Amino acid sequence: MKETLVRNVFSKVASNYDIMNDAMSMGVHRLWKDHFIRSMSPARGAKLIDVAGGTGDIAQRFLEYQDKINGDSTSSVHMVDINPDMLREGEQRFASTKWHDDERIGFTVGNAENLEFVKDGEFDVYTIAFGIRNCTHPERVVREAYRVLKPGGRF
């Protein structure tokens, strides 16, 4: 089953995931993620759900952008990952930031295909980036994305 295989692979690499991305992309993934957030251009007070959020680099960039560019201390991000080891890496990343005990960041182990813990229309922005390639049923992921987005939300 793809889900089990993906979970096992990411459990093995979780603690070195960011280093691996640096090595494989020669650091370009960092530039791409910075561009991604700038292109997103989130509004003040935006609520982001970062699915397959892994080590939290998109989530952290989102909050940094909101703080520095928008002067916004009300935006929030909820990271979701099917792999508890990857999510733990994200929690550890945030442990050394100003958001470590902040209600602006949340973490949930969950499957992108069934975000049952999320209310309809709860988020302004939904990101999944490269995580969608690891999902067994991408059509279910897209359906869930649109369900949890507010009308006019960005996917």
Side-chain angles (χ1 to χ4, degrees):
M1 185 163 156
K2 184 176 182 178
E3 186 177 313
T4 302
L5 177 63
V6 168
R7 185 178 291 128
N8 290 340
V9 167
F10 281 93
S11 286
K12 290 178 184 173
V13 301
S15 63
N16 295 309
Y17 186 77
D18 289 331
I19 294 167
M20 287 174 39
N21 273 343
D22 280 339
M24 290 187 298
S25 73
M26 297 176 63
V28 172
H29 77 104
R30 294 176 185 271
L31 298 173
W32 173 83
K33 290 169 184 173
D34 290 340
H35 176 75
F36 177 66
I37 295 296
R38 284 191 310 274
S39 297
M40 180 192 300
S41 186
R44 290 176 57 89
K47 289 181 68 177
L48 165 70
I49 183 167
D50 185 20
V51 180
T55 61
D57 46 355
I58 294 292
Q60 185 173 4
R61 281 173 170 81
F62 171 82
L63 289 174
E64 287 171 350
Y65 180 94
Q66 292 299 72
D67 284 0
K68 291 177 185 172
I69 303 301
N70 285 337
D72 175 19
S73 61
T74 63
S75 289
S76 62
V77 59
H78 195 101
M79 284 180 48
V80 178
D81 203 292
I82 198 167
N83 187 294
D85 297 311
M86 289 293 287
L87 199 62
R88 195 171 307 112
E89 292 295 319
E91 288 179 286
Q92 289 175 359
R93 172 190 297 263
F94 277 94
S96 63
T97 70
K98 66 181 179 181
W99 302 290
H100 71 282
D101 280 331
D102 198 328
E103 291 182 9
R104 294 177 64 192
I105 180 75
F107 305 91
T108 301
V109 174
N111 188 327
E113 296 178 11
N114 182 10
L115 301 171
E116 61 192 3
F117 53 90
V118 179
K119 294 182 268 184
D120 293 359
E122 187 173 343
F123 291 94
D124 300 295
V125 183
Y126 176 108
T127 61
I128 191 166
F130 293 117
I132 200 163
R133 70 178 177 227
N134 299 318
C135 297
T136 307
H137 303 97
E139 70 283 0
R140 292 181 190 168
V141 174
V142 172
R143 186 175 35 228
E144 278 294 271
Y146 283 106
R147 181 187 67 77
V148 303
L149 280 170
K150 293 177 182 175
R154 296 184 65 189
F155 178 35

mmCIF file of all heavy atoms in Angstrom, residues 6 18 27 35 38-39 42 45 48 50 63 67 70 81 85-86 95 114 118 120-121 123-125 128 141 144 154:
data_model
loop_
_atom_site.group_PDB
_atom_site.id
_atom_site.type_symbol
_atom_site.label_atom_id
_atom_site.label_comp_id
_atom_site.label_asym_id
_atom_site.label_seq_id
_atom_site.Cartn_x
_atom_site.Cartn_y
_atom_site.Cartn_z
ATOM 1 N N VAL A 6 5.079 5.232 1.835
ATOM 2 C CA VAL A 6 5.447 6.643 1.979
ATOM 3 C C VAL A 6 5.735 6.970 3.446
ATOM 4 O O VAL A 6 6.734 7.629 3.766
ATOM 5 C CB VAL A 6 4.344 7.562 1.408
ATOM 6 C CG1 VAL A 6 4.566 9.011 1.794
ATOM 7 C CG2 VAL A 6 4.273 7.416 -0.113
ATOM 8 N N ASP A 18 15.591 18.169 5.579
ATOM 9 C CA ASP A 18 15.999 19.485 5.086
ATOM 10 C C ASP A 18 17.405 19.448 4.489
ATOM 11 O O ASP A 18 17.664 20.072 3.453
ATOM 12 C CB ASP A 18 15.910 20.534 6.199
ATOM 13 C CG ASP A 18 14.475 20.869 6.556
ATOM 14 O OD1 ASP A 18 13.589 20.767 5.684
ATOM 15 O OD2 ASP A 18 14.233 21.248 7.716
ATOM 16 N N GLY A 27 20.324 23.777 -2.737
ATOM 17 C CA GLY A 27 19.766 24.934 -2.032
ATOM 18 C C GLY A 27 18.664 25.664 -2.756
ATOM 19 O O GLY A 27 18.040 26.566 -2.193
ATOM 20 N N HIS A 35 9.972 32.224 -2.990
ATOM 21 C CA HIS A 35 9.163 32.724 -4.105
ATOM 22 C C HIS A 35 7.701 32.302 -3.951
ATOM 23 O O HIS A 35 6.785 33.088 -4.222
ATOM 24 C CB HIS A 35 9.736 32.222 -5.437
ATOM 25 C CG HIS A 35 8.913 32.601 -6.615
ATOM 26 N ND1 HIS A 35 8.895 33.880 -7.123
ATOM 27 C CD2 HIS A 35 8.062 31.877 -7.370
ATOM 28 C CE1 HIS A 35 8.054 33.929 -8.151
ATOM 29 N NE2 HIS A 35 7.547 32.720 -8.316
ATOM 30 N N ARG A 38 6.055 34.588 -1.443
ATOM 31 C CA ARG A 38 5.862 35.929 -2.019
ATOM 32 C C ARG A 38 4.737 35.922 -3.039
ATOM 33 O O ARG A 38 3.912 36.841 -3.087
ATOM 34 C CB ARG A 38 7.149 36.444 -2.656
ATOM 35 C CG ARG A 38 8.189 36.915 -1.659
ATOM 36 C CD ARG A 38 9.326 37.670 -2.334
ATOM 37 N NE ARG A 38 9.911 36.982 -3.473
ATOM 38 C CZ ARG A 38 10.884 36.077 -3.407
ATOM 39 N NH1 ARG A 38 11.389 35.749 -2.217
ATOM 40 N NH2 ARG A 38 11.355 35.514 -4.489
ATOM 41 N N SER A 39 4.672 34.880 -3.862
ATOM 42 C CA SER A 39 3.611 34.771 -4.867
ATOM 43 C C SER A 39 2.241 34.561 -4.232
ATOM 44 O O SER A 39 1.235 35.024 -4.753
ATOM 45 C CB SER A 39 3.894 33.611 -5.825
ATOM 46 O OG SER A 39 5.077 33.839 -6.527
ATOM 47 N N PRO A 42 -0.134 36.435 1.000
ATOM 48 C CA PRO A 42 -1.306 36.268 1.867
ATOM 49 C C PRO A 42 -1.763 37.586 2.495
ATOM 50 O O PRO A 42 -0.952 38.466 2.784
ATOM 51 C CB PRO A 42 -0.800 35.301 2.941
ATOM 52 C CG PRO A 42 0.683 35.431 2.925
ATOM 53 C CD PRO A 42 1.065 35.797 1.534
ATOM 54 N N GLY A 45 -4.172 38.530 8.543
ATOM 55 C CA GLY A 45 -5.144 37.700 9.244
ATOM 56 C C GLY A 45 -5.437 36.367 8.580
ATOM 57 O O GLY A 45 -6.337 35.645 9.005
ATOM 58 N N LEU A 48 -3.752 29.681 7.220
ATOM 59 C CA LEU A 48 -3.162 28.737 6.280
ATOM 60 C C LEU A 48 -3.232 27.337 6.848
ATOM 61 O O LEU A 48 -2.909 27.125 8.025
ATOM 62 C CB LEU A 48 -1.697 29.110 6.026
ATOM 63 C CG LEU A 48 -0.805 28.059 5.351
ATOM 64 C CD1 LEU A 48 -1.199 27.882 3.889
ATOM 65 C CD2 LEU A 48 0.662 28.461 5.456
ATOM 66 N N ASP A 50 -1.273 23.966 6.037
ATOM 67 C CA ASP A 50 -0.111 23.467 5.303
ATOM 68 C C ASP A 50 -0.109 21.951 5.421
ATOM 69 O O ASP A 50 0.343 21.388 6.418
ATOM 70 C CB ASP A 50 1.166 24.077 5.877
ATOM 71 C CG ASP A 50 2.412 23.702 5.095
ATOM 72 O OD1 ASP A 50 2.288 23.303 3.924
ATOM 73 O OD2 ASP A 50 3.511 23.818 5.666
ATOM 74 N N LEU A 63 4.626 32.630 8.314
ATOM 75 C CA LEU A 63 4.535 33.490 9.494
ATOM 76 C C LEU A 63 5.564 34.624 9.447
ATOM 77 O O LEU A 63 5.255 35.759 9.833
ATOM 78 C CB LEU A 63 4.694 32.667 10.771
ATOM 79 C CG LEU A 63 3.517 31.749 11.100
ATOM 80 C CD1 LEU A 63 3.831 30.874 12.308
ATOM 81 C CD2 LEU A 63 2.235 32.534 11.327
ATOM 82 N N ASP A 67 4.559 38.566 9.465
ATOM 83 C CA ASP A 67 5.122 39.469 10.466
ATOM 84 C C ASP A 67 5.899 40.619 9.819
ATOM 85 O O ASP A 67 5.688 41.788 10.154
ATOM 86 C CB ASP A 67 6.040 38.715 11.428
ATOM 87 C CG ASP A 67 5.284 37.888 12.454
ATOM 88 O OD1 ASP A 67 4.036 37.879 12.447
ATOM 89 O OD2 ASP A 67 5.950 37.239 13.277
ATOM 90 N N ASN A 70 3.610 42.154 6.169
ATOM 91 C CA ASN A 70 2.272 42.660 6.467
ATOM 92 C C ASN A 70 2.146 43.270 7.862
ATOM 93 O O ASN A 70 1.089 43.796 8.197
ATOM 94 C CB ASN A 70 1.226 41.550 6.299
ATOM 95 C CG ASN A 70 0.935 41.262 4.843
ATOM 96 O OD1 ASN A 70 1.157 42.099 3.985
ATOM 97 N ND2 ASN A 70 0.455 40.064 4.561
ATOM 98 N N ASP A 81 0.447 16.565 8.715
ATOM 99 C CA ASP A 81 1.288 15.596 8.010
ATOM 100 C C ASP A 81 0.862 14.205 8.435
ATOM 101 O O ASP A 81 0.525 13.984 9.605
ATOM 102 C CB ASP A 81 2.772 15.817 8.320
ATOM 103 C CG ASP A 81 3.666 15.251 7.231
ATOM 104 O OD1 ASP A 81 3.732 14.018 7.075
ATOM 105 O OD2 ASP A 81 4.299 16.065 6.520
ATOM 106 N N ASP A 85 6.737 11.476 12.474
ATOM 107 C CA ASP A 85 8.154 11.819 12.586
ATOM 108 C C ASP A 85 8.463 13.125 11.864
ATOM 109 O O ASP A 85 9.218 13.963 12.368
ATOM 110 C CB ASP A 85 9.032 10.687 12.045
ATOM 111 C CG ASP A 85 8.881 9.406 12.844
ATOM 112 O OD1 ASP A 85 8.960 9.476 14.086
ATOM 113 O OD2 ASP A 85 8.668 8.344 12.235
ATOM 114 N N MET A 86 7.881 13.301 10.693
ATOM 115 C CA MET A 86 8.075 14.552 9.959
ATOM 116 C C MET A 86 7.450 15.711 10.726
ATOM 117 O O MET A 86 8.058 16.777 10.857
ATOM 118 C CB MET A 86 7.469 14.458 8.554
ATOM 119 C CG MET A 86 8.230 13.548 7.618
ATOM 120 S SD MET A 86 9.872 14.150 7.185
ATOM 121 C CE MET A 86 9.456 15.482 6.085
ATOM 122 N N ALA A 95 10.139 25.103 17.930
ATOM 123 C CA ALA A 95 10.521 25.207 19.342
ATOM 124 C C ALA A 95 11.575 26.287 19.565
ATOM 125 O O ALA A 95 11.670 26.847 20.653
ATOM 126 C CB ALA A 95 11.030 23.857 19.852
ATOM 127 N N ASN A 114 -8.432 12.928 3.983
ATOM 128 C CA ASN A 114 -9.565 12.982 4.904
ATOM 129 C C ASN A 114 -9.201 13.863 6.099
ATOM 130 O O ASN A 114 -8.669 13.380 7.089
ATOM 131 C CB ASN A 114 -9.953 11.572 5.367
ATOM 132 C CG ASN A 114 -11.152 11.587 6.277
ATOM 133 O OD1 ASN A 114 -11.824 12.600 6.436
ATOM 134 N ND2 ASN A 114 -11.415 10.457 6.904
ATOM 135 N N VAL A 118 -11.089 19.104 10.456
ATOM 136 C CA VAL A 118 -11.179 20.482 9.980
ATOM 137 C C VAL A 118 -12.612 20.776 9.548
ATOM 138 O O VAL A 118 -13.218 19.991 8.815
ATOM 139 C CB VAL A 118 -10.224 20.722 8.788
ATOM 140 C CG1 VAL A 118 -10.339 22.147 8.279
ATOM 141 C CG2 VAL A 118 -8.783 20.405 9.177
ATOM 142 N N ASP A 120 -15.635 22.716 7.514
ATOM 143 C CA ASP A 120 -15.822 23.265 6.173
ATOM 144 C C ASP A 120 -15.522 24.760 6.197
ATOM 145 O O ASP A 120 -15.916 25.473 7.120
ATOM 146 C CB ASP A 120 -17.263 23.069 5.697
ATOM 147 C CG ASP A 120 -17.637 21.613 5.471
ATOM 148 O OD1 ASP A 120 -16.785 20.730 5.658
ATOM 149 O OD2 ASP A 120 -18.806 21.367 5.113
ATOM 150 N N GLY A 121 -14.817 25.229 5.171
ATOM 151 C CA GLY A 121 -14.581 26.651 5.014
ATOM 152 C C GLY A 121 -13.785 27.305 6.125
ATOM 153 O O GLY A 121 -13.980 28.488 6.408
ATOM 154 N N PHE A 123 -10.296 27.676 6.306
ATOM 155 C CA PHE A 123 -9.014 28.277 5.953
ATOM 156 C C PHE A 123 -9.091 29.176 4.729
ATOM 157 O O PHE A 123 -9.886 28.952 3.821
ATOM 158 C CB PHE A 123 -7.964 27.177 5.726
ATOM 159 C CG PHE A 123 -7.585 26.480 6.998
ATOM 160 C CD1 PHE A 123 -8.216 25.303 7.383
ATOM 161 C CD2 PHE A 123 -6.618 27.012 7.835
ATOM 162 C CE1 PHE A 123 -7.889 24.670 8.570
ATOM 163 C CE2 PHE A 123 -6.277 26.387 9.026
ATOM 164 C CZ PHE A 123 -6.913 25.216 9.394
ATOM 165 N N ASP A 124 -8.193 30.173 4.713
ATOM 166 C CA ASP A 124 -8.079 31.100 3.584
ATOM 167 C C ASP A 124 -7.158 30.555 2.507
ATOM 168 O O ASP A 124 -7.330 30.846 1.321
ATOM 169 C CB ASP A 124 -7.498 32.447 4.063
ATOM 170 C CG ASP A 124 -8.365 33.103 5.104
ATOM 171 O OD1 ASP A 124 -9.502 33.482 4.765
ATOM 172 O OD2 ASP A 124 -7.916 33.214 6.266
ATOM 173 N N VAL A 125 -6.129 29.815 2.939
ATOM 174 C CA VAL A 125 -5.110 29.300 2.030
ATOM 175 C C VAL A 125 -4.817 27.847 2.382
ATOM 176 O O VAL A 125 -4.725 27.490 3.559
ATOM 177 C CB VAL A 125 -3.798 30.128 2.134
ATOM 178 C CG1 VAL A 125 -2.765 29.634 1.121
ATOM 179 C CG2 VAL A 125 -4.054 31.614 1.964
ATOM 180 N N ILE A 128 -0.022 22.313 -0.224
ATOM 181 C CA ILE A 128 0.429 20.929 -0.109
ATOM 182 C C ILE A 128 1.744 20.726 -0.856
ATOM 183 O O ILE A 128 2.471 19.784 -0.588
ATOM 184 C CB ILE A 128 -0.637 19.921 -0.573
ATOM 185 C CG1 ILE A 128 -0.241 18.486 -0.196
ATOM 186 C CG2 ILE A 128 -0.933 20.061 -2.059
ATOM 187 C CD1 ILE A 128 -1.345 17.470 -0.297
ATOM 188 N N VAL A 141 -7.711 14.388 -2.245
ATOM 189 C CA VAL A 141 -6.961 15.491 -1.648
ATOM 190 C C VAL A 141 -7.521 16.824 -2.137
ATOM 191 O O VAL A 141 -7.768 17.738 -1.349
ATOM 192 C CB VAL A 141 -5.454 15.376 -1.983
ATOM 193 C CG1 VAL A 141 -4.700 16.599 -1.498
ATOM 194 C CG2 VAL A 141 -4.878 14.095 -1.399
ATOM 195 N N GLU A 144 -10.915 17.547 -0.605
ATOM 196 C CA GLU A 144 -10.765 18.000 0.779
ATOM 197 C C GLU A 144 -10.230 19.424 0.834
ATOM 198 O O GLU A 144 -10.646 20.214 1.678
ATOM 199 C CB GLU A 144 -9.842 17.065 1.568
ATOM 200 C CG GLU A 144 -10.521 15.833 2.098
ATOM 201 C CD GLU A 144 -11.550 16.156 3.151
ATOM 202 O OE1 GLU A 144 -11.214 16.211 4.348
ATOM 203 O OE2 GLU A 144 -12.715 16.378 2.772
ATOM 204 N N ARG A 154 -7.564 30.264 -1.468
ATOM 205 C CA ARG A 154 -6.515 29.930 -2.451
ATOM 206 C C ARG A 154 -5.930 28.560 -2.202
ATOM 207 O O ARG A 154 -5.566 28.221 -1.084
ATOM 208 C CB ARG A 154 -5.412 30.983 -2.376
ATOM 209 C CG ARG A 154 -5.961 32.345 -2.783
ATOM 210 C CD ARG A 154 -4.913 33.378 -2.816
ATOM 211 N NE ARG A 154 -3.949 33.051 -3.866
ATOM 212 C CZ ARG A 154 -2.811 33.697 -4.003
ATOM 213 N NH1 ARG A 154 -2.493 34.657 -3.186
ATOM 214 N NH2 ARG A 154 -1.972 33.377 -4.956
#
